[in-house]
Amino acid sequence: MALAVAIAAMGTLAIASSSYAAETNRAESDAVVAEAEKLVMQAGQADPVDTKLIHQAMDKLHTALKIDPRNDSAYVDLGFCYGVLRDADSAIDMYRTATDLNPSGANFIELADIYMRVGDPQDALLAANAGIVKDPANARLYNAKGLALNDLQRFDEAEEAWEKALRLNPNLKVAQANIDALNGGPSGRGSISKHPAQAPAPSPMQ
């Protein structure tokens, strides 16, 4: 009996040690990701974008993944970098990996956004809907869903999605702007804002 208790205690200790090591690896990996994001920000301040800094950031992100291969934030940032370099296929792969590792609403927003950027509203809609299943109170996911539906010319459904976004977050101005554009443009179809307030391309920290 005493032996069984001792073995059980050793097992618990091993699990605790493993959990601590995983947390330590993630923290170390996140620190490298933060360094990469600083490089991305610096690259974006140049005109045109400094691709040398983008590649340096990508090297750091790969280092972060060697430390913690399950760091979804590193994959999101790699997706952003590939997008800047206009490598759409690689960008999509990175965002999809991020959602596989962490199917959060934020990650599905990123995935839906890259699909919209490459002109694939059908997959953008699938990504938005998948995100809504995981995070049904996320207004930005409903805004993303509306964008995809609008591009698929399913205008009534797009308006419903944006209205849902506003019910969840009345301060999400882009959703209201999209409804206004939908109903106020030529023949009732105006210029839809694909990104919040027509802001510059988002940083990987959004």
Side-chain angles (χ1 to χ4, degrees):
M1 181 63 148
L3 180 59
V5 171
I7 292 173
M10 290 175 63
T12 301
L13 179 61
I15 293 171
S17 299
S18 176
S19 176
Y20 176 77
E23 291 177 3
T24 301
N25 287 349
R26 181 57 186 253
E28 184 180 350
S29 181
D30 282 342
V32 178
V33 169
E35 294 175 4
E37 289 176 347
K38 290 179 182 178
L39 290 172
V40 171
M41 293 293 289
Q42 292 174 20
Q45 292 169 358
D47 187 16
V49 173
D50 189 334
T51 57
K52 182 178 179 180
L53 286 177
I54 292 293
H55 283 290
Q56 290 177 13
M58 293 171 75
D59 288 341
K60 284 189 174 293
L61 292 169
H62 285 297
T63 298
L65 288 171
K66 288 180 181 178
I67 299 169
D68 181 1
R70 297 188 60 80
N71 191 335
D72 59 298
S73 295
Y75 280 106
V76 167
D77 287 356
L78 277 171
F80 183 87
C81 289
Y82 278 117
V84 171
L85 297 175
R86 302 187 184 280
D87 184 347
D89 290 341
S90 296
I92 290 170
D93 285 343
M94 295 300 103
Y95 286 123
R96 288 181 64 180
T97 301
T99 59
D100 288 341
L101 291 170
N102 178 15
S104 66
N107 283 348
F108 275 111
I109 288 170
E110 298 283 3
L111 183 58
D113 181 71
I114 190 63
Y115 278 130
M116 288 297 294
R117 288 176 183 268
V118 301
D120 186 354
Q122 186 62 56
D123 278 335
L125 178 59
L126 292 174
N129 281 333
I132 288 168
V133 170
K134 297 292 184 179
D135 190 1
N138 192 316
R140 291 179 60 218
L141 279 167
Y142 280 95
N143 185 64
K145 179 176 180 176
L147 293 173
L149 288 166
N150 179 77
D151 275 22
L152 291 168
Q153 298 188 356
R154 293 161 61 177
F155 301 116
D156 291 341
E157 293 173 80
E159 186 169 13
E160 288 176 8
W162 289 325
E163 288 173 347
K164 175 69 172 181
L166 285 172
R167 287 196 295 273
L168 291 169
N169 181 4
N171 295 320
L172 189 63
K173 295 180 180 179
V174 66
Q176 184 61 62
N178 286 336
I179 291 173
D180 293 343
L182 185 67
N183 293 318
S187 302
R189 308 301 177 202
S191 176
I192 304 300
S193 299
K194 294 189 182 298
H195 306 288
Q198 293 290 359
S203 77
M205 288 78 77
Q206 74 170 8

